Amino acid sequence: MKLKSGTPGWPELTAATWSYPTLEQDLECEVLVVGAGMSGALISHELVSKGIHTVTVDKRQVGAGSTCANTGLLQFCNDKPLRACMHTFGRDNAVRFYTLCKQAVEKLSAIHDSLMTKAELVPRSSLYLASTLEDVKEHREEYKLLQQHGFDVEWWDQAQIETAFGFVKPAAILTHGDAEVNPYAFVHALFETSTKRYGLQLYEHTRIERREDHDQHIVLITDKGFRIKASHVVYAMGYETQEMKRDQNAVLESSFALVTKPVEGLEEAWPQRMFIWETARPYKYFRTTPDQRIVGGGFDFGSIIPEERARMLHHTTKRLESEIAALFPKLHPIEAEYSWSAVFGSTHDGYPMIGMHPKYPRSTFIEGYGGNGTVYCAIATDIIPALIKTGFHPDAHLFQFERPHYPSSP
């Protein structure tokens, strides 16, 4: 699967990176993690920090798949609103899901603070705009539900938005407790700490070709014929997991993103550097960076054909630049320095897929599909170690693979 087209900005904007060897021998370990992107980095760090002998492999370099196309927004609110989650899975499960997301953002911040190298993880608030007047009623209901269940939110009317930002939108929910991060730097910092402090064995350019299942262990065999014997395997392969097994709940599309050249005047024009996103689906979203750039994304479309993405990239980049300029006319020029398109995964029912799959013994999967993929991966770091140890975690039922149905959101 060709995951991206164009030039993601994060590798170019990340000073501290590390390289790792290719596997050239047979190995044994307690847990083998397949994938060295965001999900692989987080679960590897969690496992080795708990003293579990872990080996991690990736067919590419660290963070060179979907991670470098990630736009680095860490939010507890989801693409699927709380009220829609309640409609699909009931009030208790919906509130638990949102609570897990909130706790995951907090955990990501705590992990970041413990790393040997920092990765521009900065606390932020999010301005969730009602795109049209017709959206205001349901948006107000969403605000009331979030407030009722203890989430740190405010309601902004049109006058408040215009006073703060200068542009006109009918209403917004302001959420507190989110964060931004350089995702590529974060993955490299996670693996630096995992290898140097905790002894993780990490191998790049090491492709797994096949697996052998045995009663008490699994053997995964590389393209060079080396064998890795493990008691358990964690598949952290992102959207490419769909090439291994097709999940009915998974939806693969493409999306676009950019990072601008540094922009003067951000502090004055962009209060508190809040995230900005909207109720329209598919939605557009914007954030800033510590070095005075703007990150923007959106204009999702329902194909993952690389040639189609590449053909649309220039035009869609100009559309994103125009969207930013329309919101902030005093910020000029708005000019992309890096732009890209990439595969973007979501699920029909809005929940990620985390846990054990009935067709793969002694294995767990992290498929954090959705706009909050990094947050979902942080949720997995609490669930998967317990599944490996005991086969049970009380929250795992929320994310089971074979859900009975996939009802549409209201």
Side-chain angles (χ1 to χ4, degrees), residues 73-82 97-98 101-102 105 126 128 142 146 151-153 173-178 277 281 283 371-372 375-376:
L73 281 71
L74 309 176
Q75 299 172 283
F76 71 81
C77 282
N78 285 265
D79 294 2
K80 183 166 182 168
L82 179 58
F97 176 43
Y98 263 61
C101 289
K102 181 178 182 296
V105 176
S126 298
Y128 186 14
E142 181 72 7
L146 289 166
F151 298 99
D152 191 359
V153 295
I173 301 171
L174 179 63
T175 63
H176 303 291
D178 297 330
W277 63 308
R281 294 294 185 270
Y283 59 86
N372 279 10
V375 173
Y376 301 155

PDB file of all heavy atoms in Angstrom, residues 73-82 97-98 101-102 105 126 128 142 146 151-153 173-178 277 281 283 371-372 375-376:
ATOM      1  N   LEU A  73      -2.618  16.344  16.108  1.00  0.00           N
ATOM      2  CA  LEU A  73      -3.644  16.868  17.017  1.00  0.00           C
ATOM      3  C   LEU A  73      -4.023  15.780  18.017  1.00  0.00           C
ATOM      4  O   LEU A  73      -4.362  14.663  17.628  1.00  0.00           O
ATOM      5  CB  LEU A  73      -4.886  17.309  16.255  1.00  0.00           C
ATOM      6  CG  LEU A  73      -4.851  18.665  15.541  1.00  0.00           C
ATOM      7  CD1 LEU A  73      -3.943  18.619  14.321  1.00  0.00           C
ATOM      8  CD2 LEU A  73      -6.251  19.085  15.125  1.00  0.00           C
ATOM      9  N   LEU A  74      -3.986  16.111  19.289  1.00  0.00           N
ATOM     10  CA  LEU A  74      -4.336  15.182  20.354  1.00  0.00           C
ATOM     11  C   LEU A  74      -5.555  15.747  21.072  1.00  0.00           C
ATOM     12  O   LEU A  74      -5.448  16.696  21.845  1.00  0.00           O
ATOM     13  CB  LEU A  74      -3.169  15.010  21.337  1.00  0.00           C
ATOM     14  CG  LEU A  74      -1.806  14.685  20.710  1.00  0.00           C
ATOM     15  CD1 LEU A  74      -0.730  14.629  21.788  1.00  0.00           C
ATOM     16  CD2 LEU A  74      -1.861  13.389  19.926  1.00  0.00           C
ATOM     17  N   GLN A  75      -6.729  15.170  20.802  1.00  0.00           N
ATOM     18  CA  GLN A  75      -7.981  15.702  21.328  1.00  0.00           C
ATOM     19  C   GLN A  75      -8.804  14.600  21.984  1.00  0.00           C
ATOM     20  O   GLN A  75      -8.771  13.449  21.542  1.00  0.00           O
ATOM     21  CB  GLN A  75      -8.814  16.310  20.192  1.00  0.00           C
ATOM     22  CG  GLN A  75      -8.139  17.469  19.480  1.00  0.00           C
ATOM     23  CD  GLN A  75      -8.926  17.892  18.245  1.00  0.00           C
ATOM     24  OE1 GLN A  75      -8.853  17.223  17.215  1.00  0.00           O
ATOM     25  NE2 GLN A  75      -9.671  18.970  18.353  1.00  0.00           N
ATOM     26  N   PHE A  76      -9.570  14.966  23.016  1.00  0.00           N
ATOM     27  CA  PHE A  76     -10.452  13.962  23.611  1.00  0.00           C
ATOM     28  C   PHE A  76     -11.787  13.905  22.880  1.00  0.00           C
ATOM     29  O   PHE A  76     -12.458  12.878  22.896  1.00  0.00           O
ATOM     30  CB  PHE A  76     -10.651  14.204  25.113  1.00  0.00           C
ATOM     31  CG  PHE A  76     -11.473  15.397  25.484  1.00  0.00           C
ATOM     32  CD1 PHE A  76     -12.858  15.345  25.469  1.00  0.00           C
ATOM     33  CD2 PHE A  76     -10.861  16.577  25.876  1.00  0.00           C
ATOM     34  CE1 PHE A  76     -13.623  16.444  25.836  1.00  0.00           C
ATOM     35  CE2 PHE A  76     -11.615  17.682  26.244  1.00  0.00           C
ATOM     36  CZ  PHE A  76     -13.002  17.615  26.212  1.00  0.00           C
ATOM     37  N   CYS A  77     -12.213  14.993  22.238  1.00  0.00           N
ATOM     38  CA  CYS A  77     -13.407  14.921  21.398  1.00  0.00           C
ATOM     39  C   CYS A  77     -13.079  14.193  20.107  1.00  0.00           C
ATOM     40  O   CYS A  77     -11.953  14.273  19.608  1.00  0.00           O
ATOM     41  CB  CYS A  77     -13.934  16.321  21.084  1.00  0.00           C
ATOM     42  SG  CYS A  77     -14.845  17.070  22.452  1.00  0.00           S
ATOM     43  N   ASN A  78     -14.060  13.515  19.564  1.00  0.00           N
ATOM     44  CA  ASN A  78     -13.825  12.622  18.443  1.00  0.00           C
ATOM     45  C   ASN A  78     -14.540  13.083  17.186  1.00  0.00           C
ATOM     46  O   ASN A  78     -15.431  13.932  17.228  1.00  0.00           O
ATOM     47  CB  ASN A  78     -14.315  11.215  18.802  1.00  0.00           C
ATOM     48  CG  ASN A  78     -13.383  10.520  19.762  1.00  0.00           C
ATOM     49  OD1 ASN A  78     -12.522   9.765  19.357  1.00  0.00           O
ATOM     50  ND2 ASN A  78     -13.534  10.790  21.050  1.00  0.00           N
ATOM     51  N   ASP A  79     -14.150  12.469  16.064  1.00  0.00           N
ATOM     52  CA  ASP A  79     -14.895  12.691  14.827  1.00  0.00           C
ATOM     53  C   ASP A  79     -16.369  12.356  15.022  1.00  0.00           C
ATOM     54  O   ASP A  79     -17.242  12.977  14.413  1.00  0.00           O
ATOM     55  CB  ASP A  79     -14.333  11.817  13.699  1.00  0.00           C
ATOM     56  CG  ASP A  79     -12.921  12.225  13.310  1.00  0.00           C
ATOM     57  OD1 ASP A  79     -12.374  13.139  13.929  1.00  0.00           O
ATOM     58  OD2 ASP A  79     -12.371  11.602  12.382  1.00  0.00           O
ATOM     59  N   LYS A  80     -16.636  11.373  15.859  1.00  0.00           N
ATOM     60  CA  LYS A  80     -18.010  10.993  16.169  1.00  0.00           C
ATOM     61  C   LYS A  80     -18.409  11.652  17.488  1.00  0.00           C
ATOM     62  O   LYS A  80     -17.835  11.350  18.536  1.00  0.00           O
ATOM     63  CB  LYS A  80     -18.129   9.473  16.270  1.00  0.00           C
ATOM     64  CG  LYS A  80     -19.555   8.984  16.516  1.00  0.00           C
ATOM     65  CD  LYS A  80     -19.646   7.491  16.264  1.00  0.00           C
ATOM     66  CE  LYS A  80     -21.075   6.996  16.454  1.00  0.00           C
ATOM     67  NZ  LYS A  80     -21.255   5.626  15.947  1.00  0.00           N
ATOM     68  N   PRO A  81     -19.389  12.558  17.474  1.00  0.00           N
ATOM     69  CA  PRO A  81     -19.760  13.266  18.699  1.00  0.00           C
ATOM     70  C   PRO A  81     -20.229  12.329  19.802  1.00  0.00           C
ATOM     71  O   PRO A  81     -20.645  11.192  19.555  1.00  0.00           O
ATOM     72  CB  PRO A  81     -20.902  14.189  18.235  1.00  0.00           C
ATOM     73  CG  PRO A  81     -20.745  14.303  16.757  1.00  0.00           C
ATOM     74  CD  PRO A  81     -20.162  12.996  16.309  1.00  0.00           C
ATOM     75  N   LEU A  82     -20.183  12.826  21.025  1.00  0.00           N
ATOM     76  CA  LEU A  82     -20.610  12.032  22.174  1.00  0.00           C
ATOM     77  C   LEU A  82     -22.058  11.585  22.028  1.00  0.00           C
ATOM     78  O   LEU A  82     -22.390  10.432  22.331  1.00  0.00           O
ATOM     79  CB  LEU A  82     -20.435  12.850  23.456  1.00  0.00           C
ATOM     80  CG  LEU A  82     -20.862  12.180  24.761  1.00  0.00           C
ATOM     81  CD1 LEU A  82     -20.102  10.874  24.995  1.00  0.00           C
ATOM     82  CD2 LEU A  82     -20.673  13.137  25.937  1.00  0.00           C
ATOM     83  N   PHE A  97     -15.871   5.823  26.698  1.00  0.00           N
ATOM     84  CA  PHE A  97     -14.983   6.032  25.555  1.00  0.00           C
ATOM     85  C   PHE A  97     -14.388   7.439  25.591  1.00  0.00           C
ATOM     86  O   PHE A  97     -13.165   7.621  25.468  1.00  0.00           O
ATOM     87  CB  PHE A  97     -15.768   5.807  24.263  1.00  0.00           C
ATOM     88  CG  PHE A  97     -15.007   6.082  22.998  1.00  0.00           C
ATOM     89  CD1 PHE A  97     -13.698   5.658  22.839  1.00  0.00           C
ATOM     90  CD2 PHE A  97     -15.614   6.766  21.956  1.00  0.00           C
ATOM     91  CE1 PHE A  97     -12.995   5.907  21.653  1.00  0.00           C
ATOM     92  CE2 PHE A  97     -14.925   7.022  20.774  1.00  0.00           C
ATOM     93  CZ  PHE A  97     -13.618   6.598  20.625  1.00  0.00           C
ATOM     94  N   TYR A  98     -15.208   8.440  25.756  1.00  0.00           N
ATOM     95  CA  TYR A  98     -14.699   9.811  25.820  1.00  0.00           C
ATOM     96  C   TYR A  98     -13.781  10.013  27.027  1.00  0.00           C
ATOM     97  O   TYR A  98     -12.775  10.732  26.949  1.00  0.00           O
ATOM     98  CB  TYR A  98     -15.869  10.805  25.846  1.00  0.00           C
ATOM     99  CG  TYR A  98     -16.185  11.371  24.483  1.00  0.00           C
ATOM    100  CD1 TYR A  98     -16.572  10.550  23.436  1.00  0.00           C
ATOM    101  CD2 TYR A  98     -16.074  12.731  24.235  1.00  0.00           C
ATOM    102  CE1 TYR A  98     -16.854  11.060  22.182  1.00  0.00           C
ATOM    103  CE2 TYR A  98     -16.347  13.264  22.983  1.00  0.00           C
ATOM    104  CZ  TYR A  98     -16.741  12.420  21.954  1.00  0.00           C
ATOM    105  OH  TYR A  98     -17.001  12.936  20.699  1.00  0.00           O
ATOM    106  N   CYS A 101     -10.425   8.641  26.196  1.00  0.00           N
ATOM    107  CA  CYS A 101      -9.703   9.561  25.311  1.00  0.00           C
ATOM    108  C   CYS A 101      -9.096  10.709  26.108  1.00  0.00           C
ATOM    109  O   CYS A 101      -7.943  11.113  25.868  1.00  0.00           O
ATOM    110  CB  CYS A 101     -10.636  10.096  24.232  1.00  0.00           C
ATOM    111  SG  CYS A 101     -11.109   8.863  22.994  1.00  0.00           S
ATOM    112  N   LYS A 102      -9.846  11.253  27.039  1.00  0.00           N
ATOM    113  CA  LYS A 102      -9.321  12.338  27.880  1.00  0.00           C
ATOM    114  C   LYS A 102      -8.119  11.853  28.687  1.00  0.00           C
ATOM    115  O   LYS A 102      -7.080  12.539  28.764  1.00  0.00           O
ATOM    116  CB  LYS A 102     -10.416  12.847  28.811  1.00  0.00           C
ATOM    117  CG  LYS A 102      -9.996  13.987  29.726  1.00  0.00           C
ATOM    118  CD  LYS A 102     -11.164  14.447  30.583  1.00  0.00           C
ATOM    119  CE  LYS A 102     -10.766  15.623  31.478  1.00  0.00           C
ATOM    120  NZ  LYS A 102      -9.730  15.242  32.463  1.00  0.00           N
ATOM    121  N   VAL A 105      -4.964  11.510  26.455  1.00  0.00           N
ATOM    122  CA  VAL A 105      -4.232  12.754  26.191  1.00  0.00           C
ATOM    123  C   VAL A 105      -3.344  13.091  27.389  1.00  0.00           C
ATOM    124  O   VAL A 105      -2.179  13.489  27.226  1.00  0.00           O
ATOM    125  CB  VAL A 105      -5.205  13.910  25.888  1.00  0.00           C
ATOM    126  CG1 VAL A 105      -4.434  15.221  25.725  1.00  0.00           C
ATOM    127  CG2 VAL A 105      -6.017  13.618  24.633  1.00  0.00           C
ATOM    128  N   SER A 126      -9.260  23.549  22.042  1.00  0.00           N
ATOM    129  CA  SER A 126      -9.800  23.364  20.692  1.00  0.00           C
ATOM    130  C   SER A 126     -11.095  24.148  20.540  1.00  0.00           C
ATOM    131  O   SER A 126     -11.967  24.103  21.411  1.00  0.00           O
ATOM    132  CB  SER A 126     -10.082  21.880  20.412  1.00  0.00           C
ATOM    133  OG  SER A 126      -8.901  21.113  20.463  1.00  0.00           O
ATOM    134  N   TYR A 128     -14.276  24.149  18.454  1.00  0.00           N
ATOM    135  CA  TYR A 128     -15.060  23.239  17.609  1.00  0.00           C
ATOM    136  C   TYR A 128     -16.239  24.043  17.061  1.00  0.00           C
ATOM    137  O   TYR A 128     -17.238  24.255  17.741  1.00  0.00           O
ATOM    138  CB  TYR A 128     -15.506  22.053  18.456  1.00  0.00           C
ATOM    139  CG  TYR A 128     -16.206  20.930  17.732  1.00  0.00           C
ATOM    140  CD1 TYR A 128     -16.191  20.816  16.340  1.00  0.00           C
ATOM    141  CD2 TYR A 128     -16.876  19.940  18.461  1.00  0.00           C
ATOM    142  CE1 TYR A 128     -16.835  19.771  15.704  1.00  0.00           C
ATOM    143  CE2 TYR A 128     -17.510  18.888  17.834  1.00  0.00           C
ATOM    144  CZ  TYR A 128     -17.499  18.809  16.448  1.00  0.00           C
ATOM    145  OH  TYR A 128     -18.140  17.774  15.813  1.00  0.00           O
ATOM    146  N   GLU A 142     -24.647  18.839  22.092  1.00  0.00           N
ATOM    147  CA  GLU A 142     -23.359  18.188  22.337  1.00  0.00           C
ATOM    148  C   GLU A 142     -22.631  18.859  23.499  1.00  0.00           C
ATOM    149  O   GLU A 142     -22.078  18.185  24.382  1.00  0.00           O
ATOM    150  CB  GLU A 142     -22.499  18.223  21.068  1.00  0.00           C
ATOM    151  CG  GLU A 142     -21.147  17.564  21.193  1.00  0.00           C
ATOM    152  CD  GLU A 142     -21.207  16.052  21.259  1.00  0.00           C
ATOM    153  OE1 GLU A 142     -22.307  15.484  21.073  1.00  0.00           O
ATOM    154  OE2 GLU A 142     -20.168  15.425  21.520  1.00  0.00           O
ATOM    155  N   LEU A 146     -21.441  17.061  27.035  1.00  0.00           N
ATOM    156  CA  LEU A 146     -20.051  17.086  27.492  1.00  0.00           C
ATOM    157  C   LEU A 146     -19.947  17.717  28.870  1.00  0.00           C
ATOM    158  O   LEU A 146     -19.258  17.190  29.767  1.00  0.00           O
ATOM    159  CB  LEU A 146     -19.189  17.863  26.490  1.00  0.00           C
ATOM    160  CG  LEU A 146     -18.942  17.185  25.142  1.00  0.00           C
ATOM    161  CD1 LEU A 146     -18.378  18.178  24.135  1.00  0.00           C
ATOM    162  CD2 LEU A 146     -17.998  16.000  25.293  1.00  0.00           C
ATOM    163  N   PHE A 151     -16.709  17.015  31.335  1.00  0.00           N
ATOM    164  CA  PHE A 151     -15.628  17.441  30.458  1.00  0.00           C
ATOM    165  C   PHE A 151     -15.503  18.962  30.487  1.00  0.00           C
ATOM    166  O   PHE A 151     -16.502  19.690  30.631  1.00  0.00           O
ATOM    167  CB  PHE A 151     -15.865  16.937  29.031  1.00  0.00           C
ATOM    168  CG  PHE A 151     -15.891  15.437  28.934  1.00  0.00           C
ATOM    169  CD1 PHE A 151     -17.096  14.742  28.900  1.00  0.00           C
ATOM    170  CD2 PHE A 151     -14.716  14.715  28.936  1.00  0.00           C
ATOM    171  CE1 PHE A 151     -17.125  13.364  28.843  1.00  0.00           C
ATOM    172  CE2 PHE A 151     -14.725  13.329  28.884  1.00  0.00           C
ATOM    173  CZ  PHE A 151     -15.930  12.647  28.835  1.00  0.00           C
ATOM    174  N   ASP A 152     -14.280  19.458  30.365  1.00  0.00           N
ATOM    175  CA  ASP A 152     -13.983  20.882  30.528  1.00  0.00           C
ATOM    176  C   ASP A 152     -14.284  21.618  29.224  1.00  0.00           C
ATOM    177  O   ASP A 152     -13.444  21.662  28.312  1.00  0.00           O
ATOM    178  CB  ASP A 152     -12.516  21.054  30.924  1.00  0.00           C
ATOM    179  CG  ASP A 152     -12.197  22.470  31.382  1.00  0.00           C
ATOM    180  OD1 ASP A 152     -13.109  23.320  31.375  1.00  0.00           O
ATOM    181  OD2 ASP A 152     -11.039  22.722  31.735  1.00  0.00           O
ATOM    182  N   VAL A 153     -15.476  22.163  29.120  1.00  0.00           N
ATOM    183  CA  VAL A 153     -15.931  22.791  27.881  1.00  0.00           C
ATOM    184  C   VAL A 153     -16.603  24.134  28.173  1.00  0.00           C
ATOM    185  O   VAL A 153     -17.098  24.372  29.287  1.00  0.00           O
ATOM    186  CB  VAL A 153     -16.917  21.880  27.105  1.00  0.00           C
ATOM    187  CG1 VAL A 153     -16.219  20.620  26.626  1.00  0.00           C
ATOM    188  CG2 VAL A 153     -18.125  21.528  27.978  1.00  0.00           C
ATOM    189  N   ILE A 173     -18.005  25.113  20.429  1.00  0.00           N
ATOM    190  CA  ILE A 173     -17.666  24.503  21.717  1.00  0.00           C
ATOM    191  C   ILE A 173     -16.164  24.672  21.901  1.00  0.00           C
ATOM    192  O   ILE A 173     -15.378  24.267  21.037  1.00  0.00           O
ATOM    193  CB  ILE A 173     -18.029  23.017  21.761  1.00  0.00           C
ATOM    194  CG1 ILE A 173     -19.522  22.803  21.520  1.00  0.00           C
ATOM    195  CG2 ILE A 173     -17.621  22.402  23.108  1.00  0.00           C
ATOM    196  CD1 ILE A 173     -19.911  21.346  21.341  1.00  0.00           C
ATOM    197  N   LEU A 174     -15.779  25.269  22.997  1.00  0.00           N
ATOM    198  CA  LEU A 174     -14.363  25.384  23.339  1.00  0.00           C
ATOM    199  C   LEU A 174     -14.026  24.280  24.335  1.00  0.00           C
ATOM    200  O   LEU A 174     -14.623  24.206  25.414  1.00  0.00           O
ATOM    201  CB  LEU A 174     -14.071  26.754  23.941  1.00  0.00           C
ATOM    202  CG  LEU A 174     -12.619  27.009  24.369  1.00  0.00           C
ATOM    203  CD1 LEU A 174     -11.695  26.946  23.162  1.00  0.00           C
ATOM    204  CD2 LEU A 174     -12.495  28.357  25.063  1.00  0.00           C
ATOM    205  N   THR A 175     -13.113  23.400  23.951  1.00  0.00           N
ATOM    206  CA  THR A 175     -12.723  22.285  24.819  1.00  0.00           C
ATOM    207  C   THR A 175     -11.313  22.516  25.342  1.00  0.00           C
ATOM    208  O   THR A 175     -10.442  22.995  24.621  1.00  0.00           O
ATOM    209  CB  THR A 175     -12.778  20.938  24.074  1.00  0.00           C
ATOM    210  OG1 THR A 175     -11.838  20.944  23.001  1.00  0.00           O
ATOM    211  CG2 THR A 175     -14.169  20.696  23.508  1.00  0.00           C
ATOM    212  N   HIS A 176     -11.108  22.177  26.597  1.00  0.00           N
ATOM    213  CA  HIS A 176      -9.799  22.309  27.230  1.00  0.00           C
ATOM    214  C   HIS A 176      -9.247  20.926  27.556  1.00  0.00           C
ATOM    215  O   HIS A 176      -9.997  19.995  27.831  1.00  0.00           O
ATOM    216  CB  HIS A 176      -9.916  23.143  28.496  1.00  0.00           C
ATOM    217  CG  HIS A 176     -10.497  24.506  28.286  1.00  0.00           C
ATOM    218  ND1 HIS A 176      -9.826  25.500  27.613  1.00  0.00           N
ATOM    219  CD2 HIS A 176     -11.702  25.027  28.634  1.00  0.00           C
ATOM    220  CE1 HIS A 176     -10.578  26.595  27.570  1.00  0.00           C
ATOM    221  NE2 HIS A 176     -11.727  26.325  28.180  1.00  0.00           N
ATOM    222  N   GLY A 177      -7.911  20.812  27.523  1.00  0.00           N
ATOM    223  CA  GLY A 177      -7.288  19.535  27.860  1.00  0.00           C
ATOM    224  C   GLY A 177      -6.742  18.784  26.667  1.00  0.00           C
ATOM    225  O   GLY A 177      -6.423  17.596  26.781  1.00  0.00           O
ATOM    226  N   ASP A 178      -6.612  19.448  25.515  1.00  0.00           N
ATOM    227  CA  ASP A 178      -6.032  18.824  24.331  1.00  0.00           C
ATOM    228  C   ASP A 178      -4.548  19.166  24.240  1.00  0.00           C
ATOM    229  O   ASP A 178      -3.985  19.829  25.113  1.00  0.00           O
ATOM    230  CB  ASP A 178      -6.784  19.281  23.075  1.00  0.00           C
ATOM    231  CG  ASP A 178      -8.248  18.857  23.088  1.00  0.00           C
ATOM    232  OD1 ASP A 178      -8.550  17.803  23.684  1.00  0.00           O
ATOM    233  OD2 ASP A 178      -9.080  19.570  22.511  1.00  0.00           O
ATOM    234  N   TRP A 277     -11.530  23.387  14.330  1.00  0.00           N
ATOM    235  CA  TRP A 277     -12.145  22.386  13.470  1.00  0.00           C
ATOM    236  C   TRP A 277     -13.637  22.640  13.447  1.00  0.00           C
ATOM    237  O   TRP A 277     -14.101  23.634  14.014  1.00  0.00           O
ATOM    238  CB  TRP A 277     -11.765  20.973  13.880  1.00  0.00           C
ATOM    239  CG  TRP A 277     -12.190  20.511  15.248  1.00  0.00           C
ATOM    240  CD1 TRP A 277     -11.980  21.137  16.437  1.00  0.00           C
ATOM    241  CD2 TRP A 277     -12.868  19.299  15.568  1.00  0.00           C
ATOM    242  NE1 TRP A 277     -12.484  20.392  17.482  1.00  0.00           N
ATOM    243  CE2 TRP A 277     -13.039  19.263  16.978  1.00  0.00           C
ATOM    244  CE3 TRP A 277     -13.344  18.236  14.803  1.00  0.00           C
ATOM    245  CZ2 TRP A 277     -13.665  18.204  17.634  1.00  0.00           C
ATOM    246  CZ3 TRP A 277     -13.970  17.178  15.467  1.00  0.00           C
ATOM    247  CH2 TRP A 277     -14.125  17.163  16.857  1.00  0.00           C
ATOM    248  N   ARG A 281     -18.838  17.532   7.707  1.00  0.00           N
ATOM    249  CA  ARG A 281     -18.158  16.268   7.419  1.00  0.00           C
ATOM    250  C   ARG A 281     -18.084  16.050   5.920  1.00  0.00           C
ATOM    251  O   ARG A 281     -19.095  16.147   5.254  1.00  0.00           O
ATOM    252  CB  ARG A 281     -18.891  15.092   8.082  1.00  0.00           C
ATOM    253  CG  ARG A 281     -18.858  15.131   9.615  1.00  0.00           C
ATOM    254  CD  ARG A 281     -17.434  14.938  10.149  1.00  0.00           C
ATOM    255  NE  ARG A 281     -17.399  14.851  11.606  1.00  0.00           N
ATOM    256  CZ  ARG A 281     -17.265  15.882  12.436  1.00  0.00           C
ATOM    257  NH1 ARG A 281     -17.155  17.108  11.927  1.00  0.00           N
ATOM    258  NH2 ARG A 281     -17.222  15.708  13.737  1.00  0.00           N
ATOM    259  N   TYR A 283     -14.466  17.325   7.608  1.00  0.00           N
ATOM    260  CA  TYR A 283     -14.167  18.636   8.175  1.00  0.00           C
ATOM    261  C   TYR A 283     -12.754  19.083   7.813  1.00  0.00           C
ATOM    262  O   TYR A 283     -11.886  18.288   7.464  1.00  0.00           O
ATOM    263  CB  TYR A 283     -14.349  18.625   9.690  1.00  0.00           C
ATOM    264  CG  TYR A 283     -13.473  17.626  10.432  1.00  0.00           C
ATOM    265  CD1 TYR A 283     -12.176  17.945  10.819  1.00  0.00           C
ATOM    266  CD2 TYR A 283     -13.970  16.366  10.768  1.00  0.00           C
ATOM    267  CE1 TYR A 283     -11.387  17.044  11.505  1.00  0.00           C
ATOM    268  CE2 TYR A 283     -13.187  15.453  11.463  1.00  0.00           C
ATOM    269  CZ  TYR A 283     -11.893  15.796  11.832  1.00  0.00           C
ATOM    270  OH  TYR A 283     -11.116  14.893  12.509  1.00  0.00           O
ATOM    271  N   GLY A 371      -9.692  10.292  13.357  1.00  0.00           N
ATOM    272  CA  GLY A 371      -8.949  11.532  13.531  1.00  0.00           C
ATOM    273  C   GLY A 371      -8.135  11.583  14.815  1.00  0.00           C
ATOM    274  O   GLY A 371      -7.217  12.388  14.933  1.00  0.00           O
ATOM    275  N   ASN A 372      -8.466  10.745  15.791  1.00  0.00           N
ATOM    276  CA  ASN A 372      -7.751  10.702  17.061  1.00  0.00           C
ATOM    277  C   ASN A 372      -6.864   9.473  17.163  1.00  0.00           C
ATOM    278  O   ASN A 372      -6.739   8.870  18.231  1.00  0.00           O
ATOM    279  CB  ASN A 372      -8.748  10.698  18.233  1.00  0.00           C
ATOM    280  CG  ASN A 372      -9.240  12.083  18.556  1.00  0.00           C
ATOM    281  OD1 ASN A 372      -9.002  13.021  17.808  1.00  0.00           O
ATOM    282  ND2 ASN A 372      -9.931  12.233  19.664  1.00  0.00           N
ATOM    283  N   VAL A 375      -4.337   9.230  20.026  1.00  0.00           N
ATOM    284  CA  VAL A 375      -5.032   9.075  21.307  1.00  0.00           C
ATOM    285  C   VAL A 375      -5.512   7.639  21.478  1.00  0.00           C
ATOM    286  O   VAL A 375      -5.376   7.044  22.557  1.00  0.00           O
ATOM    287  CB  VAL A 375      -6.202  10.069  21.395  1.00  0.00           C
ATOM    288  CG1 VAL A 375      -7.051   9.814  22.635  1.00  0.00           C
ATOM    289  CG2 VAL A 375      -5.668  11.505  21.401  1.00  0.00           C
ATOM    290  N   TYR A 376      -6.053   7.044  20.416  1.00  0.00           N
ATOM    291  CA  TYR A 376      -6.505   5.657  20.497  1.00  0.00           C
ATOM    292  C   TYR A 376      -5.338   4.715  20.781  1.00  0.00           C
ATOM    293  O   TYR A 376      -5.483   3.729  21.504  1.00  0.00           O
ATOM    294  CB  TYR A 376      -7.197   5.242  19.203  1.00  0.00           C
ATOM    295  CG  TYR A 376      -8.410   6.067  18.837  1.00  0.00           C
ATOM    296  CD1 TYR A 376      -8.827   6.171  17.515  1.00  0.00           C
ATOM    297  CD2 TYR A 376      -9.143   6.749  19.803  1.00  0.00           C
ATOM    298  CE1 TYR A 376      -9.936   6.921  17.164  1.00  0.00           C
ATOM    299  CE2 TYR A 376     -10.251   7.510  19.463  1.00  0.00           C
ATOM    300  CZ  TYR A 376     -10.648   7.588  18.141  1.00  0.00           C
ATOM    301  OH  TYR A 376     -11.734   8.331  17.797  1.00  0.00           O
TER     302      TYR A 376
END
